[in-house]
Amino acid sequence: MKPTFLYIPTDDLEGTARFYREDLQLEEVWREGDDTIAFALPGGELQLMVSTAPGGYGPMYLVPSAEEWVRAHADLEVAQPLQQIPGGATVGFTDPAGNAFYVFDQEE
């Protein structure tokens, strides 16, 4: 598992993106449609992913196969079922304290 994104949900994508771009001076590195914008964080590969997609704030971990990871961790509570994303799949979980986290795979 490689921590890749911090997922930040929002109802106002452009307003939230403006905050990270202008107030925090983060560099926008990519967009996906009209619902997701990612920002580079200084000093590493971790990015902020701001999106209007449902879900709670939390880390997103890159795994070789989201489907296989789900099967191997069947004891974990699924908060968001496996869904296809551009180039891969993602699934959301809740840890024992109720915090969201996600695993995803992505074609290279």
Side-chain angles (χ1 to χ4, degrees):
M1 293 177 62
K2 177 183 177 186
T4 306
F5 300 108
L6 290 177
Y7 179 74
I8 301 173
T10 183
D11 291 330
D12 178 7
L13 183 64
E14 290 304 325
T16 304
R18 189 170 31 261
F19 169 78
Y20 287 105
R21 188 174 38 253
E22 295 174 9
D23 293 345
L24 297 187
Q25 300 291 302
L26 298 179
E27 176 189 357
E28 183 177 319
V29 290
W30 57 266
R31 285 181 181 238
E32 181 64 46
D34 294 330
D35 67 354
T36 305
I37 302 173
F39 294 90
L41 291 172
E45 296 180 22
L46 193 63
Q47 297 178 355
L48 295 181
M49 180 190 299
V50 179
S51 181
T52 59
Y57 170 86
M60 295 185 74
Y61 300 98
L62 179 63
V63 296
S65 169
E67 285 186 30
E68 289 178 20
W69 202 92
V70 169
R71 281 194 296 275
H73 298 86
D75 57 322
L76 296 179
E77 181 180 343
V78 174
Q80 289 185 308
L82 185 77
Q83 62 184 350
Q84 297 304 306
I85 58 173
T90 186
V91 60
F93 295 92
T94 304
D95 74 11
N99 300 301
F101 73 97
Y102 307 85
V103 296
F104 74 101
D105 58 35
Q106 198 84 72
E107 296 173 359
E108 300 213 17

